[in-house]
Amino acid sequence: MRRMDKKLKLLTYGCQMNVADSERMAGLLRQIGYTLTDDADDADLILINTCCVRATAEDKVFGQIGRFKALKRLKPSLILGVAGCMAQKEGANLIKRAPHVDFVLGTGQSCEVARVVQSLEEMRNAQCVMRNDSDSTSRSHVVDVSNVSGDIPVEVFPLRGGHVSTFVPIMYGCNNFCTYCIVPYVRGRERSRKPEEIFAEVKQAVAEGFKEITLLGQNVNSYAGGMTFAELLTAVDNIAGVERLRFMTSHPKDLSDELIAAIAGGRHICEHIHLPVQYGSDKILKRMNRVYTVENYLRLVEKIRAAVPHVSLTTDLIVGFPGETDDDLQETLEFLRAVQFDAAFTFIYSKRSGTPAATFPAQVDDETKHRRLDALMKVQNEISLAKNRALVDSTVEVLVEGASKTDDKIFTGRTRSNKLVLFAHGDERAGDLINVKITQAQTWLLKGEVHVLQNF
Ligand code: SAH
Ligand code: SF4
Ligand code: F3S
């Protein structure tokens, strides 16, 4: 008989896309009787959804897989699965390196997770794993990384985390092949979901009580589901109950005037664009295959700011790309001063084998990479702080997320510009839209007081 009270411990690494995929896999596993647990010791199934964008991400996953070895020895019925980008990249190598892993599922096969788990359960129940068979290792493991551009999961009811904000994927994969990046290899070619499916999922999330929707894709601007991304965004903006609408990520080469107009004219579309530039010198941008110049980017920023005056702009930057010199870094620092981003996520270049840049000459040594990262962060942190300080004494709209992790008297929320705000908790509830007067600014957050509007 099939048990219906099984426990799933789900660990998710990587980007928002992985968070969304995890929620979908949890939704599928719920249909075969799994409920979530925080406690790995209590789990019947542990699923690790992995990232391989940088070596550090992979190291974390290998560390985590290793930690579950002892648990598997204590509890042989435990099923341990690895899904996501690193699973796609490593395939059967993962089993060779960690034979206690039961299954490896690539990104294109995540919708098969329940079927794979069921087949392993059945094998266990029937005790039909032929241990004396010379091929027993391959029989008791499942590895499916066969189709990286696999079908988009349909009719999935994701088991969403959180209560206020949630992600809705609109497309999968990437066709851009930036020379440093592993994502196109582990996520396959671009595939767009149909608008009706996206609308249905947004409505379902709203019905579950979510107030803020973030539409997700590696490059949402190349959405090709039968309408433009701007049209899709506007249509989602008109769905009743969507109180805030965000999207990520936008490749600067494809950000259209139509999209800028949609943001400017939107009702719930937040005035925030995450627009990864990756670097601030033309020489490096060309080698990265980003297909725009510093000048193109600066003009785009001007255009956005002219149309959406209070827009907040954030970015991603990579230091230590092969061939980078101190002069390139200086250009990038000047570029940062010129753009005045609200925030930047800065990464040290990580060599990904199989990508073109891994074989480029003039790889940068670790010490230089760290020195350049420090220089970049120093300049950007000053800019972020100045931008946040400019908000002190102003009143901003905050979507309440709930109690902070460290102090239940302090609540957190986000501005429309996606800045984190901490404030003393009154009678607000998660999901409320409130006005907060900003009293203090730091580099990565704001502090404020709930602004009670006077009724005369
Ligand atoms: N599709 C998104 C983000 C993809 S990965 C985009 O194009 O913006 C998120 C970020 O990781 C990238 O923006 C990039 O800054 C960083 N990244 C990707 N590959 C990297 C590598 N090999 N080393 C360091 N950072 C990397
Ligand atoms: Fe990677 Fe470039 Fe695709 Fe982003 S656009 S996922 S950085 S290849
Ligand atoms: Fe990582 Fe895959 Fe996202 S490699 S950054 S989890 S698309």
Side-chain angles (χ1 to χ4, degrees):
M1 218 182 61
R2 190 162 285 159
R3 271 176 61 203
M4 291 307 283
D5 59 345
K6 297 167 291 188
K7 297 275 186 258
L8 162 67
K9 167 76 181 170
L10 184 55
L11 293 105
T12 304
Y13 294 87
C15 65
Q16 290 85 350
M17 197 53 104
N18 260 18
V19 173
D21 285 351
S22 282
E23 292 176 347
R24 306 177 104 70
M25 288 193 282
L28 289 165
L29 291 165
R30 173 173 53 186
Q31 290 172 1
I32 60 162
Y34 283 91
T35 51
L36 288 174
T37 176
D38 286 334
D39 183 3
D41 292 341
D42 196 28
D44 301 287
L45 166 64
I46 297 177
L47 180 59
I48 311 177
N49 195 9
T50 59
C51 173
C52 58
V53 77
R54 286 171 286 275
T56 43
E58 289 190 307
D59 294 346
K60 272 191 222 154
V61 172
F62 273 120
Q64 192 60 64
I65 293 173
R67 277 193 284 281
F68 290 133
K69 196 169 178 179
L71 192 59
K72 276 227 50 170
R73 216 176 287 134
L74 281 174
K75 191 174 175 183
S77 65
L78 173 67
I79 298 176
L80 176 60
V82 182
C85 297
M86 190 178 147
Q88 182 67 50
K89 175 168 164 274
E90 296 293 326
N93 281 338
L94 263 170
I95 306 273
K96 274 199 204 118
R97 203 166 149 177
H100 62 291
V101 169
D102 295 291
F103 72 90
V104 176
L105 202 58
T107 54
Q109 270 75 40
S110 59
C111 50
E112 297 293 328
V113 69
R115 188 187 55 75
V116 169
V117 168
Q118 253 174 344
S119 73
L120 285 164
E121 284 175 352
E122 276 157 23
M123 269 199 253
R124 274 173 202 198
N125 289 347
Q127 295 188 322
C128 69
V129 183
M130 315 267 280
R131 298 226 179 264
N132 54 358
D133 185 319
S134 60
D135 197 25
S136 67
T137 315
S138 59
R139 275 173 185 263
S140 53
H141 294 93
V142 176
V143 177
D144 189 355
V145 292
S146 53
N147 185 4
V148 68
S149 299
D151 291 343
I152 291 180
V154 287
E155 308 269 332
V156 174
F157 296 95
L159 184 54
R160 297 179 189 278
H163 304 286
V164 177
S165 304
T166 196
F167 300 119
V168 174
I170 62 163
M171 58 191 295
Y172 294 86
C174 179
N175 292 351
N176 290 314
F177 291 95
C178 303
T179 54
Y180 49 82
C181 186
I182 194 84
V183 171
Y185 305 88
V186 294
R187 285 272 172 186
R189 298 293 65 73
E190 285 176 2
R191 290 146 284 156
S192 296
R193 295 178 74 192
K194 293 193 190 76
E196 315 80 73
E197 238 181 73
I198 296 167
F199 301 151
E201 189 174 328
V202 169
K203 285 177 190 161
Q204 183 202 329
V206 167
E208 286 175 37
F210 289 93
K211 310 280 185 213
E212 181 176 88
I213 304 288
T214 303
L215 303 181
L216 280 187
Q218 296 301 343
N219 176 16
V220 289
N221 302 323
S222 55
Y223 175 76
M227 54 172 72
T228 64
F229 177 61
E231 288 165 346
L232 182 81
L233 193 67
T234 303
V236 175
D237 189 22
N238 289 326
I239 294 177
V242 174
E243 293 192 14
R244 277 187 175 183
L245 180 56
R246 301 184 184 280
F247 57 93
M248 68 187 309
T249 299
S250 288
H251 195 304
K253 77 178 165 67
D254 299 317
L255 198 138
S256 65
D257 292 352
E258 189 199 6
L259 179 60
I260 298 173
I263 300 166
R267 285 191 301 162
H268 309 100
I269 306 173
C270 292
E271 297 79 10
H272 168 228
I273 306 181
H274 184 60
L275 195 62
V277 68
Q278 310 300 356
Y279 209 70
S281 97
D282 287 344
K283 179 188 103 188
I284 299 290
L285 285 174
K286 192 152 193 275
R287 290 186 192 185
M288 287 178 159
N289 189 31
R290 291 293 289 182
V291 303
Y292 51 82
T293 61
V294 166
E295 183 58 33
N296 298 149
Y297 191 98
L298 289 171
R299 243 185 269 134
L300 180 60
V301 167
E302 257 173 43
K303 207 158 51 172
I304 296 169
R305 286 195 170 133
V308 192
H310 297 294
V311 72
S312 132
L313 291 176
T314 55
T315 202
D316 291 347
L317 289 149
I318 299 175
V319 285
F321 187 78
E324 179 196 57
T325 62
D326 280 336
D327 284 349
D328 294 315
L329 184 80
Q330 285 311 316
E331 272 187 56
T332 301
L333 299 183
E334 269 162 44
F335 170 81
L336 288 181
R337 292 189 188 103
V339 178
Q340 299 280 308
F341 287 109
D342 289 82
F345 300 90
T346 45
F347 306 107
I348 285 183
Y349 169 69
S350 172
K351 205 188 213 183
R352 305 285 69 207
S353 65
T355 62
T359 58
F360 283 2
Q363 298 280 331
V364 177
D365 66 82
D366 276 354
E367 199 195 318
T368 310
K369 281 177 176 169
H370 280 99
R371 177 171 54 76
R372 290 182 182 157
L373 180 73
D374 288 348
L376 199 72
M377 285 173 68
K378 187 166 176 284
V379 169
Q380 181 53 44
N381 286 350
E382 279 167 14
I383 297 169
S384 299
L385 184 59
K387 286 233 148 193
N388 284 349
R389 279 198 177 136
L391 293 171
V392 171
D393 290 336
S394 70
T395 298
V396 291
E397 182 200 274
V398 169
L399 177 61
V400 180
E401 285 170 356
S404 84
K405 286 192 189 112
T406 47
D407 180 351
D408 64 7
K409 286 186 210 67
I410 301 293
F411 264 36
T412 64
R414 284 193 183 260
T415 63
R416 286 177 72 96
S417 56
N418 207 30
K419 292 179 195 265
L420 184 66
V421 183
L422 269 54
F423 57 92
H425 170 41
D427 53 7
E428 301 73 28
R429 285 168 311 168
D432 286 352
L433 277 173
I434 59 167
N435 286 313
V436 174
K437 186 175 176 202
I438 302 302
T439 53
Q440 272 183 61
Q442 296 175 10
T443 309
W444 286 97
L445 60 87
L446 300 164
K447 291 183 179 173
E449 291 161 358
V450 178
H451 191 85
V452 182
L453 293 174
Q454 303 286 324
N455 285 322
F456 292 103

